[in-house]
Structures are given as structure tokens and as C-alpha cells.
């Protein structure tokens, strides 16, 4: 029996009359348009009664009429019974040759189905190829085809899930028999008993790549690389968990995928090979008991979404469909084993070759080096991949971390941040990378959907793992024993619910944060998967206020209870006081308010303690002479080049300088918003009060004069904090910025420019000596350099291109640079041309040092030609530039006529003895200029003496013995000439002692 209600045809004479009207109308269909046919169909009388009739129709003249009927039948899920009676008169003849008509209808239906599936594939491909915001935010966005590497998938069993092997650690995950490894394409192959697999459960811990693997599977099907299935229908169990209203399977499909509205009627009525994907089954509370979920085999019957999933898994609904389920290990047991054809575990990148392949593909992408740097960064990218590969081959801890594909993403993103950052918008911070990394892996997931507390997974991690991390930071240790873990996880377990949550955490999340140590002798201890993650979680633990004493916790709970009670009592007391004016009632009311007010003061002190912790950790004197934190992160990923440490050698003390920086970064508005999504709420008022309490302490400590690497950490802290008002006040107190010998990568230059850009005050001195600066560095720092009075750029690699940037700097109308030191840079003749042009138009420069800049006679002559146009220069250093007598005399002649230039340094040049005597005889009062032709002229030892010696000392490992001898000979000749020129016996003795040394 086929119900006619879908056609609007009821039982009885009324229904038959309606059907006859429809058939008569179909005979004249050539007179009507398609829109008219649709209006006619909607106007047919309908009935919701349960009466049914057999619907029998002979083909009417015209293929369009029979096609229209077929469309109605298909759209209404109606099929004609094989044994239905035929109409009289001509039906016999037509029924004898129905094959051509059936073939035409079947062809039209196949064409419509094929077009709908193609639209579905196009829609799915666009959706699943879409990368999350983090991919575009922290680096170039890549397609799944470009960078995807399939993780290892191992065939498992229910016993293996319920009782995992204690020896199944990260290091030996892949040491299982090769027969257990299975590819994604073979998951639905027959099992060991030869039975066809229909239901597959794919499980893995957090971070193993379940969601990414499903994305890749869908994209592969969209591109024709999964021919086993004709139709793939993916569902997010998180999405299904938010809906409890009954809905039919067919309505659910068309609601999510409108393109399939013409295909859905064929489900279960054809041989269409369908695959349902259910991603994240742990989000659903499934009950496979008949008492909990009734049987349902009708795809049109509305039932709760969880009942649809249960009946699909039971094979009671669409038994021919294939199903793949992804879930965390703790939720696998929710599905009875009899409904699962194959268990498969995602084991991540347990082979280091897979890790290397991922890094090679990811870091070698054309867009990885940033905009406009494809040519210059290709060698740097190859070097990064090579260093990373060598570090993985050492079986370092990073290989254990990259067992999880998620951490491979974190490593690549961090390297992109460290090496290819040319600008730093507020969204790009190291704390932001780690916060977004956690959002990618945890989203808003609760730890256990069956637990009534519904605690978020990240909140649970902050309370437990964060406590372990914080205690490790305070005691300066990174390795933790089983006893340490029990103290943090089990000491406060008192209820059944808490023990269940701990069990789920150990099963699903533990290995994401903690992994066995690979160092010899420490195999039975645990370390954080990535060292910086320990400091991040410790910071999160503190900022969230989880570091409380028992009295503080009890006090908070009592304050909340009494505060709520006092509101209710206040209403009652107000009413009573109007009837009975008793004097003690106001006193009683105020007493009820005392405790909440007192506790609010305690809360304020707690925030003061957070601020004090942050400031104290930021300015620890024992960390003053370590590398800056960015270099430390770089070393933890790429390793340290050089001989490996002997196992018996005492390790260096652990350093936790990222801890206070992460505390500041977590307080930024953007990171607080992301943490709110993760269930870790930090109120605006709390962040404001912490910043207020921290301001005085931090600014006071920063004025003490920090070493260069510590000052860089302080600037990086201000960048991570993302509080412009706080940063501006802190920067105004810095009049001198000394970053000498800090390797100023593009990222550090961006951080310096960003932080200094919060104010417009002039900087007395910026020391960037020996900082590996280049042209791009100057371009990034341009706005900062404009505001510096004294600018030290010596001992860098600033060539002619950099001098072009310096020319633009000095010619800028807002430039205040008065003292510029460019000593020991390869300026050359072309660079001298740019600097000469700058001298001609500059109005602020008074002291210029070009010591040892390879000017030569030609470069010096160019500068001399433009000196006449300058009106403000007072001192010029041209020493150590291989000048001859002619070039030196030309400079001196110009200097004599200059209005302000009174001192020229010409020592360490190829000037003859006669020339030196002539230049040395110049007097300021007589000639208007003084020429210093000896290094010791004017003082016992010139300011540049240390620079001269540093050149030799720094190049000792690279220069040959003859070149070193030439430089030392030059120094001795200068000292000897100085001794001969002076008449003071004491100074002669000093020169002799320096020469002996």
C-alpha cells in the first residue's frame, strides 16, 4: 500500500476524483508552463488521513506527462507496485513496450542525481578546504593537498581500547606488526573473517589529527580519489548535540545539504553507495539500549538526532550505508562492539620520516617566507628544514613532541613567527599562537559530556596540569615523577565524578601535554611535550586565580553565599523597619555586608600577588645574562649547533623567562576572548586591576638599567601584553635603549618598532652595536631611528643599500639624530656617495663616525666635496680607511673652511710620516680644525681604541695569521709614532707599555 497523502489524494471517491482530475490535466500539459504545473500540484486537495489506496496509472500520451508524474512520485517517495492493475482500452498495448520509457526516465533521474552530487561535491570541497583563521593569521594559508601528510593508522580492537598496553609509549607505538597498519582507503575492506566492514570507529587522543584526516577524506572524495563511495554525507556530532528536536534523517540531510534534495528520496531505495561520516562522537550521549532509544527504520520518521545516529550504527536504518565514526578513546566504549566492524587508532607521526616530510612540505611552500621575500628566504627555508631534520635525528625531545601532528603545526607556526615576520599586527604574538593552538585542538569541548558539571577540557587542564606546571616553574624543574603527578591530579579527588573526570583526562588528554622523557636515565619521568607549554600553562594557572589557599577558596564560596543571602535579608529588614522601628536592624544589616566587603579586599590582594609574581619573575637577576627568550625558543626547536653534551656532564640550570611574558600575554583582550571560548574566563575588571597593580613595580624595575638581553625580554613582554596605555607609560621612562650584541632578527626589530611606536618622545641613545642589522632591519626601525639623538650602528653588515636608507633617514624633516656611529660596516665608495648626499642636506647631525668602513681615497673625496654644504657637523671620524696623504689633506682643507667642524680623526690610515707631522701640527686656534692622526691623540687612549681591538679579536677565528699580523703591526706603528711625537716622559712610558702588551 502506498499512501496517497503525499500526492494530495485521500481515500474514497473524493480521492479518486482528484486523481482523475490530475490525470486529465496531465493530458493537456502542453498548454501549461512549468510554473503553472507547480501551482496546479500545490492546489490538489490533500488529506492527512491514514487511508491509502493503490495508485495505478497507464502512461498518458506524451513523454512530458509521464515525466511529470514520475517527478511527483520521486519527490513524494512513491513507487509503483509491480502487481498493480492496468486501465482498460489501450493500456495492454502500451504496457507491452515500457522499456524505452523506463530507460528514458531512469536516464533523466540519473542525470539529475549526478548533477546534484556534483554540486554537493563542489560545496563540500569549498567548505572542507577552508582553513581556520589561525592558518591565515600565523602564516600563509595552504590547501590540504599541498601540506597534508597522512598519520599512521593502526588496526585495533575493543580489548585494545579498554586495556591499552602499558608498554605502548610514544617511542614504540610503531613497533607493532606491520600487518596492523592500515591506510585510510582500506578501512572498509573485508575483515580477517572475510566479512564486509560497514561501521568503522576511528579513535585517537587529542592532537593526533582526527578532524584533519576526515577533512582530507572528504576532499579526496570530492576530487574523485575515493571511488568506493558514490555519496559522502558528513555530520558534526557537536552540531547534532545542540539540537534535541525530533527530525527525520531525510530532513536532516536536506537541512544541512540542500543540493541533495533530489538525491535523498533514493536513499535506501537504490544501490547508491553512501558513506556517513560522524565526527566527534564523544559530543553525543548515545544510549544503545532499546529502553533508551527505540528502533527506527523509516528515514522519514522524526526522531532525536542521537536516535538517528544509534539506528544508523545498529544497521536498522539504511543498513546498506557505510559509517565512519571519529571519537576520543574514552568514548569508544559507548558503542557496543557488535555494531563495530573495525576499530582503527590514529597513531600520529610516530615515524620521524613523516615528521620530516611534513616540515619539508610546510616550510618549503612559496608563501612561507612572507611577501616580497621569495628569493631571499629560499636559502633560509632550506637551512631551517636542514637544522630541524638534524635535531629530529638526534632523538631529541622535539621528536617525541612531533609525534602529535598538532605540535608539528605549532613548530612550523613558531618558526614562521621567528624567521619570516616582517610586521607584527596585534594579532601576532607568541602568546596568541599558543592560545590559538589550544583553541584549534580543544575548541569549546567539555571533558566528559556525561558528567553533570560540564567542565570544559581547558579549564580542567588549567586547574590540574597548570598546577603541575606552576610548581615546576617555582622549583625550577622540568621532569616530573609519578609521585609529582599524583600530588597534582589525585590528592583532591573525593567524589566518583572527580575520579571519572580524571580517568577521561588520562585516556584522552594526558599525552597531549605530558610525554615520557627521552634523556638517558630519566626514562621513567615525564616532561611537557613542548618546554614553552609548561610556562604557558603555569601562567594560565596563576592568571585564572587557581593558585589559592584553602582559606581563600572557602572564603570565596562563603562570600558568594552570604552576598546572595544579604540581598534577600535586606528586603525583609526594610519592611520590618517600617513597621517596627528597632535600632538594631540597620546594625544587623551592615554586619551581613562586612564579610563580602572584607573578601573583596582579599581578592584585591590576590590580584596584587599576581602582579607581584609577574614583576618578580620578569626581573630575576639570576636570568640577566641568558639569551633573550626568542633565541631560547629558537634553540629549543632547532637545537644548539656544536658538540653534544656528555651524559655525565652537569646540566645547565633551567630557565623560565617566558613564564611572566605569557602571564602578560594572557591578559591581553584578544587572548582573553579566545580563552573565554575555551571555558577559561578572565574578567575585564581583574585584568585592569592586575595591570594597575603591576605598573609601579614593573616601571620601577625597568629604570635600574637592564642588560641588553633582559631589556629585549622586557620589550617583548610589553608587546605581548598588548596594553597600549601601559606600554606608553613604561616606554617614556626609557631614555636610553641598549640592545648591543642582541641578534636583531626581523621579528625583534618589529617588536622594538611596535613598542617604541606607542609614544613620540625622543630617545637619548639607541645602541644597536653588533646586532646583525641589514637593510631590511633599518627599514623596519625607520620610525624609531628618527627619534634617536645618539645612534650606534657599528659592527653590523650595513653596506651601500643600507646607506641609502640612512641617507633617507638623515634627510627626513623629523630626524633628530645628532651622533651617528657607523664604524666597522662595509660602506664602500657607493655607500660614501649616499652618506655624502645626506651630509649635504642634514640639519641635525653633529658627530659622524665612519671608522673602518672601507671608504678609500675615492669615498673620502666624495664626502669632502659635500662637506662644504653642511653647516652643523662638528666631528668626523675617517680613521682606518686606507687614506693616503692626498685624500687626508683634501678633507682637512675643507674642514678648515667649515663653520662648525673642528675635529677630524685620521689615524690608522696610509699616511706618510711627513703627512702625519703636518696634520699633527694643525691647531684649533690657528687653523680652525684639529686632525687626530694618532689613536692616542688628545687622551691616553682614544674612545675608539676598544673598537679597533675588537675588530681583530672578533676575526681571529677567520683571518689568516698574516692578516692578523698586519693589523697588530699597524697598531704598534701607531703607538710608536705617538711616542715619538710626545715630549711627556710619562706618556712615552704608557705608550711603551701598551706596545709591549
Amino acid at each position: 500500500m502506498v499512501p496517497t497523502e503525499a500526492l494530495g489524494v485521500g481515500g474514497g471517491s473524493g480521492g479518486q476524483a482528484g486523481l482523475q482530475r490530475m490525470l486529465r490535466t496531465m493530458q493537456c500539459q502542453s498548454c501549461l508552463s512549468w510554473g503553472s504545473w507547480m501551482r496546479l500540484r500545490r492546489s490538489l486537495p490533500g488529506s492527512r488521513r491514514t487511508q491509502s489506496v493503490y495508485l495505478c496509472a497507464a502512461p498518458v500520451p506524451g513523454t512530458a506527462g509521464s515525466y511529470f508524474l514520475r517527478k511527483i512520485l520521486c519527490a513524494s517517495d512513491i513507487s509503483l507496485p509491480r502487481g498493480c492493475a492496468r486501465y482498460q482500452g489501450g493500456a495492454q498495448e502500451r504496457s507491452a513496450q515500457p522499456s524505452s520509457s523506463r530507460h528514458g526516465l531512469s536516464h533523466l533521474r540519473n542525470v539529475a542525481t549526478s548533477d546534484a552530487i556534483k554540486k554537493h561535491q563542489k560545496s563540500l570541497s569549498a567548505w572542507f578546504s577552508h582553513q581556520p583563521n589561525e592558518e591565515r593569521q600565523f602564516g600563509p594559508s595552504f590547501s590540504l593537498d599541498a601540506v597534508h601528510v597522512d598519520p599512521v593508522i593502526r588496526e585495533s580492537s575493543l580489548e585494545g581500547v579498554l586495556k591499552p598496553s602499558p608498554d605502548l609509549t610514544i617511542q614504540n607505538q610503531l613497533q607493532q606488526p606491520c600487518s596492523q597498519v592500515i591506510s585510510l582507503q582500506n578501512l572498509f575492506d573485508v575483515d580477517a573473517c572475510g566479512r564486509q566492514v560497514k561501521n568503522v570507529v576511528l579513535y585517537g587522543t587529542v592532537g593526533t589529527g582526527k578532524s584533519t584526516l576526515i577533512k582530507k577524506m572528504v576532499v579526496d572524495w570530492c576530487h574523485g580519489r575515493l571511488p568506493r563511495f558514490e555519496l559522502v554525507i558528513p555530520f558534526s556530532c557537536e552540531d547534532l548535540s545542540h539540537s534535541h528536536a525530533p527530525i527525520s534523517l531525510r530532513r536532516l540531510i536536506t537541512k544541512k545539504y540542500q543540493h541533495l534534495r533530489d538525491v535523498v528520496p533514493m536513499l535506501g531505495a537504490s544501490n547508491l553507495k553512501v558513506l556517513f561520516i560522524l565526527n566527534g562522537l564523544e559530543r553525543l550521549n548515545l544510549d544503545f539500549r532499546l529502553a533508551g532509544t527505540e528502533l527506527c527504520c523509516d528515514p522519514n520518521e522524526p526522531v532525536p538526532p542521537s536516535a538517528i545516529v544509534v539506528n544508523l550504527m545498529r544497521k536498522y536504518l539504511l543498513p546498506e550505508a557505510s559509517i565512519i565514526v571519529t571519537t576520543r578513546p574514552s568514548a569508544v566504549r559507548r558503542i557496543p562492539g557488535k555494531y563495530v566492524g573495525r576499530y582503527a587508532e590514529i597513531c600520529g607521526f610516530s615515524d620521524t620520516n613523516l615528521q620530516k616530510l611534513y616540515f619539508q612540505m610546510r616550510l618549503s611552500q612559496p608563501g612561507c617566507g612572507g611577501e616580497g621575500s621569495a628569493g631571499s628566504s629560499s636559502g633560509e627555508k632550506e637551512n631551517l628544514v636542514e637544522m630541524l631534520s638534524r635535531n629530529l635525528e638526534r632523538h631529541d625531545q622535539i621528536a617525541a613532541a612531533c609525534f602529535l601532528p598538532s605540535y608539528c603545526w605549532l613548530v612550523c607556526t613558531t618558526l614562521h613567527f621567528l624567521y619570516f615576520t616582517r610586521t607584527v599586527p596585534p594579532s601576532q604574538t607568541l602568546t596568541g599562537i599558543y592560545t590559538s593552538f589550544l583553541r584549534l585542538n580543544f575548541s569549546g569541548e567539555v571533558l566528559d559530556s556525561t558528567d553533570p558539571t560540564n567542565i570544559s577540557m581547558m579549564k580542567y587542564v588549567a586547574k590540574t596540569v597548570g598546577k603541575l606546571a606552576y610548581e615546576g616553574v617555582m622549583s625550577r624543574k622540568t621532569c616530573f615523577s609519578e609521585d609529582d603527578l599524583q600530588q597534582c591530579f589525585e590528592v583532591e579527588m573525593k567524589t566518583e565524578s572527580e575520579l571519572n573526570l580524571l580517568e577521561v583526562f588520562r585516556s584522552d588528554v594526558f599525552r597531549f601535554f605530558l610525554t615520557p622523557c627521552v634523556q638517558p636515565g630519566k626514562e621513567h619521568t615525564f616532561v611537557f611535550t613542548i618546554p614553552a607549554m609548561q610556562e604557558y600553562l603555569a601562567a594560565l594557572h596563576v592568571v585564572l586565580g587557581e593558585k589559592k589557599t584553602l582559606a581563600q577558596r572557602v572564603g570565596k564560596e562563603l562570600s558568594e553565599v552570604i552576598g546572595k543571602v544579604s540581598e534577600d535579608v535586606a528586603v525583609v529588614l526594610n519592611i520590618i523597619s517600617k513597621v517596627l522601628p528597632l535600632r538594631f536592624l540597620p546594625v544587623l544589616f551592615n554586619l551581613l555586608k562586612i564579610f563580602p566587603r572584607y573578601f573583596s579586599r582579599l581578592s584585591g590582594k590576590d590580584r596584587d600577588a599576581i602582579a607581584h609574581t609577574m614583576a618578580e619573575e620578569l626581573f630575576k637577576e639570576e636570568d640577566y645574562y641568558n639569551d633573550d627568550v626568542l633565541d631560547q625558543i629558537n634553540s629549543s626547536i632547532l637545537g644548539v649547533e656544536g658538540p653534544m653534551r656528555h651524559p655525565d656532564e652537569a646540566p645547565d640550570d633551567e630557565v623560565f623567562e617566558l613564564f611572566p611574558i605569557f602571564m602578560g600575554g594572557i591578559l591581553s583582550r584578544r587572548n582573553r576572548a579566545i580563552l573565554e571560548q575555551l571555558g577559561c574566563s578572565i574578567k575585564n575588571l581583574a585584568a585592569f586591576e592586575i595591570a594597575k597593580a603591576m605598573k609601579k613595580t614593573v616601571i620601577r624595575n625597568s629604570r635600574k638599567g637592564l642588560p641588553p638581553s633582559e631589556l629585549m625580554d622586557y620589550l617583548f613582554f610589553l608587546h605581548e601584553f598588548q596594553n597600549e596605555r601601559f606600554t606608553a607609560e613604561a616606554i617614556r621612562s626609557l631614555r636610553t635603549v641598549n640592545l648591543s650584541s642582541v641578534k636583531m632578527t626581523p621579528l625583534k626589530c618589529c617588536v622594538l618598532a611596535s613598542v617604541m611606536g606607542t609614544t613620540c618622545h625622543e630617545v637619548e641613545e639607541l645602541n644597536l652595536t653588533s646586532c646583525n642589522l641589514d637593510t631590511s632591519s633599518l627599514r623596519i626601525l625607520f620610525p624609531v631611528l628618527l627619534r634617536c639623538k645618539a645612534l650606534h650602528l657599528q659592527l653590523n653588515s650595513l653596506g651601500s643599500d643600507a646607506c641609502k636608507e640612512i641617507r633617507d633617514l638623515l634627510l627626513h624633516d623629523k630626524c633628530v639624530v645628532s651622533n651617528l656611529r657607523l664604524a666597522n660596516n662595509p660602506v664602500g665608495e657607493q655607500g660614501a656617495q649616499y652618506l655624502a648626499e645626506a651630509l649635504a642636506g642634514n640639519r641635525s647631525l653633529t658627530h659622524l663616525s665612519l671608522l673602518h668602513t672601507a671608504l678609500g681615497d675615492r669615498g673620502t673625496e666624495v664626502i669632502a666635496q659635500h662637506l662644504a654644504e653642511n653647516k652643523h657637523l662638528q666631528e668626523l671620524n675617517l680613521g682606518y680607511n686606507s687614506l693616503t696623504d692626498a685624500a687626508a689633506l683634501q678633507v682637512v682643507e675643507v674642514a678648515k673652511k667649515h663653520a662648525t667642524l673642528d675635529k677630524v680623526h685620521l689615524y690608522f690610515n696610509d699616511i706618510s710620516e711627513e703627512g702625519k707631522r703636518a696634520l699633527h701640527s694643525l691647531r684649533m686656534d690657528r687653523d680652525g680644525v684639529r686632525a687626530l692622526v694618532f689613536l692616542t691623540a688628545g687622551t691616553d687612549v682614544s674612545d675608539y681604541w676598544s673598537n679597533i681591538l675588537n675588530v681583530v679579536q672578533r676575526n681571529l677565528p677567520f683571518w689568516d695569521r698574516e692578516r692578523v699580523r698586519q693589523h697588530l703591526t699597524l697598531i704598534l706603528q701607531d703607538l710608536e709614532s705617538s711616542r715619538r711625537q710626545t715630549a711627556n716622559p710619562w706618556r712615552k712610558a704608557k705608550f711603551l707599555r701598551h706596545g709591549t702588551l
Side-chain angles (χ1 to χ4, degrees):
M1 295 290 288
V2 179
T4 58
E5 55 182 328
L7 281 173
V9 183
S13 60
Q16 295 175 2
L19 178 59
Q20 290 171 3
R21 284 198 304 272
M22 184 182 73
L23 293 176
R24 285 198 303 271
T25 307
M26 291 172 61
Q27 294 177 357
C28 59
Q29 55 81 31
S30 59
C31 302
L32 296 176
S33 63
W34 172 252
S36 300
W37 280 109
M38 294 304 296
R39 287 193 296 273
L40 173 64
R41 178 186 174 188
R42 288 193 294 269
S43 67
L44 291 175
S47 174
R48 294 283 181 183
R49 291 173 295 177
T50 58
Q51 296 175 345
S52 303
V53 300
Y54 277 118
L55 176 62
C56 306
V60 296
T63 57
S66 47
Y67 172 66
F68 175 69
L69 179 59
R70 178 68 66 177
K71 287 292 289 183
I72 295 178
L73 295 175
C74 290
S76 306
D77 303 332
I78 296 176
S79 59
L80 292 175
R82 295 180 180 178
C84 95
R86 298 189 180 95
Y87 280 109
Q88 301 293 325
Q92 300 282 350
E93 291 81 7
R94 291 188 180 274
S95 64
Q97 42 182 346
S99 58
S100 61
S101 175
R102 290 178 183 170
H103 178 73
L105 291 172
S106 176
H107 175 71
L108 288 173
R109 186 169 62 179
N110 290 338
V111 170
T113 301
S114 178
D115 291 342
I117 291 178
K118 287 181 180 178
K119 291 180 181 179
H120 179 59
Q121 288 177 325
K122 185 177 180 181
S123 175
L124 282 183
S125 178
W127 177 258
F128 280 86
S129 297
H130 177 74
Q131 298 288 356
N133 292 333
E134 286 75 11
E135 285 286 356
R136 298 187 298 274
Q137 180 179 334
F138 300 112
S141 181
F142 305 117
S143 66
L144 284 172
D145 290 338
V147 297
H148 182 76
V149 178
D150 284 333
V152 173
I153 303 175
R154 184 177 60 86
E155 189 168 2
S156 182
S157 63
L158 183 59
E159 291 75 17
V161 179
L162 298 179
K163 296 181 180 179
S165 171
D167 298 327
L168 199 60
T169 59
I170 290 176
Q171 285 72 29
N172 60 15
Q173 282 246 357
L174 204 60
Q175 295 177 5
Q176 303 297 317
C178 296
S179 58
Q180 291 186 345
V181 177
I182 187 171
S183 67
L184 188 67
Q185 289 76 14
N186 297 330
L187 287 177
F188 290 93
D189 289 351
V190 296
D191 61 13
C193 299
R195 293 171 298 193
Q196 182 64 47
V197 173
K198 286 293 184 181
N199 290 353
V200 173
V201 172
L202 188 65
Y203 68 94
T205 59
V206 174
T208 49
K210 299 183 295 295
S211 298
T212 304
L213 193 64
I214 290 301
K215 278 187 177 182
K216 183 63 165 56
M217 186 178 187
V218 173
V219 171
D220 282 347
W221 175 76
C222 293
H223 296 163
R225 294 192 289 268
L226 200 65
R228 181 191 294 268
F229 302 106
E230 299 173 290
L231 178 62
V232 171
I233 304 176
F235 284 118
S236 167
C237 292
E238 179 185 8
D239 183 27
L240 296 180
S241 68
H242 296 311
S243 175
H244 302 286
I247 188 173
S248 68
L249 175 60
R250 290 179 175 173
R251 175 68 185 118
L252 181 63
I253 295 173
T254 54
K255 181 181 178 181
K256 305 299 180 185
Y257 307 105
Q258 294 184 0
H259 298 298
L260 298 180
R261 59 181 177 271
D262 293 330
V263 181
V264 166
M266 301 175 59
L267 295 179
S270 66
N271 293 324
L272 193 66
K273 298 178 181 178
V274 183
L275 171 65
F276 286 97
I277 297 177
L278 303 172
N279 188 33
L281 193 72
E282 68 275 357
R283 305 291 188 95
L284 290 174
N285 290 327
L286 301 182
D287 190 350
F288 280 83
R289 300 173 303 160
L290 289 178
T293 305
E294 63 178 344
L295 296 174
C296 175
C297 64
D298 186 359
N300 292 316
E301 181 180 349
V303 294
S306 59
I308 293 177
V309 174
V310 168
N311 281 289
L312 283 173
M313 295 294 295
R314 285 171 173 167
K315 290 302 169 194
Y316 203 74
L317 181 62
L318 300 184
E320 296 303 319
S322 299
I323 301 172
I324 185 169
V325 171
T326 66
T327 184
R328 302 200 306 258
S330 64
V332 173
R333 66 194 68 186
R334 299 182 192 174
I335 308 173
K338 62 183 178 181
Y339 298 131
V340 180
R342 173 171 283 126
Y343 292 94
E345 180 184 10
I346 302 180
C347 298
F349 295 156
S350 43
D351 186 352
T352 55
N353 290 324
L354 293 178
Q355 300 174 11
K356 292 180 183 179
L357 179 60
Y358 179 91
F359 293 133
Q360 179 71 35
M361 296 175 67
R362 184 72 187 244
L363 294 175
S364 300
Q365 290 296 309
C368 185
E371 296 180 3
S373 60
S376 61
S377 66
S378 59
E380 190 171 19
K381 287 187 288 186
E382 293 176 1
N383 186 43
L384 282 180
V385 173
E386 178 64 26
M387 292 178 67
L388 195 53
S389 297
R390 285 203 299 267
N391 203 17
L392 291 172
E393 290 169 358
R394 293 172 183 170
H395 303 289
D396 201 2
Q397 199 67 48
I398 190 174
C402 292
F403 155 78
L404 295 172
S406 293
Y407 277 98
C408 291
W409 179 90
L410 180 61
V411 166
C412 289
T413 304
T414 305
L415 287 176
H416 185 274
F417 178 70
L418 292 176
Y419 282 89
F420 304 118
T421 299
R422 298 297 182 264
T423 59
V424 280
S427 59
Q428 286 197 351
T429 63
L430 186 66
T431 314
I433 290 177
Y434 275 76
T435 307
S436 298
F437 168 69
L438 294 174
R439 192 191 72 81
L440 278 174
N441 287 278
F442 293 94
S443 186
E445 289 190 55
V446 297
L447 182 60
D448 185 4
S449 60
T450 63
D451 187 78
T453 60
N454 278 332
I455 184 172
S456 74
M457 194 178 295
M458 200 59 230
K459 180 72 172 178
Y460 187 87
V461 168
K463 291 178 65 174
T464 55
V465 187
K467 179 183 178 183
L468 180 72
Y470 173 74
E471 292 180 355
V473 169
M474 290 297 100
S475 58
R476 287 186 171 259
K477 69 176 182 179
T478 57
C479 295
F480 304 93
S481 65
E482 283 285 353
D483 292 337
D484 296 328
L485 299 183
Q486 290 178 1
Q487 285 294 322
C488 286
F489 292 109
E490 299 179 8
V491 69
E492 297 181 4
M493 298 292 111
K494 298 178 181 179
T495 65
E496 183 72 17
S497 175
E498 291 174 337
L499 290 174
N500 290 339
L501 288 176
L502 178 59
E503 183 64 26
V504 172
F505 171 79
R506 282 190 175 275
S507 172
D508 298 347
V509 191
F510 180 83
R511 286 195 298 175
F512 185 85
F513 293 106
L514 292 161
T515 182
C517 184
V518 300
Q519 296 181 17
K522 297 183 179 181
E523 293 84 355
H524 299 291
T525 61
F526 293 87
V527 297
F528 278 82
T529 313
I530 289 286
M533 185 58 74
Q534 177 179 353
E535 298 176 77
Y536 180 93
L537 292 179
L540 184 61
H541 179 78
V542 173
V543 174
L544 285 176
E546 296 295 338
K547 188 178 71 69
K548 290 186 177 74
T549 63
L550 180 61
Q552 288 175 321
R553 294 176 185 172
V554 173
K556 182 179 179 182
E557 294 175 359
L558 285 176
S559 174
E560 292 175 352
V561 171
I562 295 177
K564 292 177 182 178
V565 171
S566 64
E567 294 176 1
D568 298 331
V569 172
V571 178
V572 177
L573 290 179
N574 285 332
I575 296 173
I576 295 176
S577 63
K578 293 178 181 179
V579 180
L580 300 174
L582 300 177
R583 296 181 178 180
F584 71 89
L585 293 178
V587 177
L588 178 62
F589 177 68
N590 290 328
L591 285 174
L592 289 172
K593 290 185 175 181
I594 287 178
F595 190 83
R597 289 176 182 173
Y598 179 72
F599 184 77
S600 66
R601 294 181 182 179
L602 289 179
S603 299
K605 291 184 178 180
D606 183 48
R607 287 160 188 165
D608 289 345
I610 294 176
H612 178 74
T613 300
M614 195 182 308
E616 184 181 13
E617 292 295 323
L618 189 62
F619 298 106
K620 272 194 171 181
E621 293 188 5
E622 55 263 39
D623 296 334
Y624 268 14
Y625 299 99
N626 298 323
D627 292 337
D628 62 82
V629 291
L630 294 175
D631 284 348
Q632 292 176 27
I633 295 173
N634 182 70
S635 299
S636 69
I637 295 175
L638 299 180
V640 179
E641 294 297 317
M644 297 183 64
R645 182 188 300 273
H646 192 273
D648 297 333
E649 186 178 350
D652 296 332
D653 291 336
E654 300 292 348
V655 178
F656 297 97
E657 293 183 90
L658 268 175
F659 169 56
I661 293 175
F662 277 142
M663 288 179 68
I666 289 172
L667 288 172
S668 70
R669 184 180 299 273
R670 180 182 174 277
N671 286 317
R672 283 190 286 119
I674 297 177
L675 287 170
E676 181 76 32
Q677 301 172 18
L678 296 175
C680 299
S681 178
I682 304 172
K683 302 300 181 184
N684 289 332
L685 180 60
F688 173 77
E689 291 181 348
I690 293 172
K692 184 179 178 181
M694 185 177 59
K695 187 179 297 184
K696 294 181 180 179
T697 307
V698 168
I699 294 177
R700 183 175 64 250
N701 280 277
S702 67
R703 290 172 179 166
K704 294 180 179 179
L706 301 173
S709 61
E710 197 70 15
L711 179 59
M712 187 68 239
D713 291 345
Y714 177 58
L715 297 174
F716 189 60
F717 164 80
L718 295 176
H719 168 70
E720 293 285 313
F721 195 29
Q722 292 292 302
N723 187 323
E724 189 170 343
R725 182 180 299 179
F726 181 95
T727 301
E729 190 169 343
I731 289 299
R732 287 192 194 100
S733 65
L734 292 179
R735 293 294 176 178
T736 300
V737 180
N738 181 10
L739 295 173
S740 60
S741 300
V742 174
K743 186 179 179 182
M744 294 298 292
T745 62
L747 173 60
K748 295 177 189 176
C749 291
C750 290
V751 168
L752 177 60
S754 174
V755 171
M756 298 294 291
T758 56
T759 67
C760 298
H761 78 287
E762 293 183 359
V763 180
E764 294 294 331
E765 180 180 341
L766 176 59
N767 190 344
L768 297 175
T769 301
S770 188
C771 289
N772 294 86
L773 299 179
D774 55 14
T775 306
S776 63
S777 305
L778 296 181
R779 197 172 293 123
I780 295 171
L781 293 172
F782 193 91
V784 179
L785 303 182
L786 284 174
R787 296 155 39 201
C788 299
K789 292 183 179 180
L791 187 56
H792 299 256
L793 300 177
Q794 58 264 40
L795 290 168
N796 285 291
S797 302
L798 304 178
S800 58
D801 291 338
C803 291
K804 190 175 181 181
E805 294 293 327
I806 295 174
R807 178 198 64 183
D808 297 340
L809 172 72
L810 295 176
L811 293 178
H812 198 281
D813 56 352
K814 294 184 179 180
C815 177
V816 299
V817 177
S818 60
N819 187 346
L820 176 62
R821 291 192 175 189
L822 289 172
N824 296 292
N825 283 292
V827 173
E829 294 182 10
Q830 183 59 51
Q833 178 67 42
Y834 293 131
L835 294 178
E837 296 172 8
L839 281 174
N842 179 265
R843 298 292 181 270
S844 64
L845 196 63
T846 59
H847 295 75
L848 175 62
S849 172
L850 296 175
L851 174 73
H852 195 217
T853 51
L855 297 179
D857 284 353
R858 181 56 188 157
T860 305
E861 291 170 2
V862 171
I863 291 176
Q865 292 169 6
H866 289 76
L867 266 179
E869 302 177 47
N870 181 279
K871 305 300 181 183
H872 303 277
L873 193 65
Q874 299 174 10
E875 182 175 346
L876 176 64
N877 190 330
L878 298 175
Y880 212 165
N881 277 293
S882 304
L883 305 186
T884 60
D885 291 20
L889 290 173
Q890 182 181 359
V891 172
V892 170
E893 289 300 320
V894 175
K896 286 180 180 180
K897 303 173 184 178
H898 198 280
T900 58
L901 183 60
D902 57 8
K903 187 181 295 184
V904 180
H905 298 253
L906 293 170
Y907 40 77
F908 268 36
N909 283 300
D910 298 335
I911 303 174
S912 63
E913 290 297 324
E914 293 77 8
K916 288 181 181 180
R917 283 194 294 271
L919 292 172
H920 185 64
S921 64
L922 293 175
R923 295 290 180 268
M924 181 64 196
D925 54 352
R926 184 187 65 202
D927 304 303
V929 66
R930 184 180 180 188
L932 304 180
V933 292
F934 303 113
L935 187 64
T936 55
T939 60
D940 287 346
V941 177
S942 170
D943 292 340
Y944 297 96
W945 174 265
S946 60
N947 289 339
I948 299 292
L949 292 179
N950 280 340
V951 173
V952 180
Q953 185 176 5
R954 288 178 59 212
N955 289 283
L956 276 176
F958 313 107
W959 286 355
D960 55 35
R961 294 176 61 87
E962 180 60 26
R963 188 172 183 181
V964 173
R965 189 187 63 80
Q966 290 177 358
H967 276 74
L968 293 178
T969 301
L970 193 60
I971 294 174
L972 290 174
Q973 289 176 352
D974 186 90
L975 289 173
E976 182 63 26
S977 298
S978 299
R979 189 176 66 83
R980 285 196 300 267
Q981 294 295 328
T982 184
N984 189 321
W986 292 105
R987 297 193 66 190
K988 283 180 177 288
K990 285 186 177 181
F991 295 151
L992 183 61
R993 187 172 69 87
H994 284 305
T996 305
L997 293 175

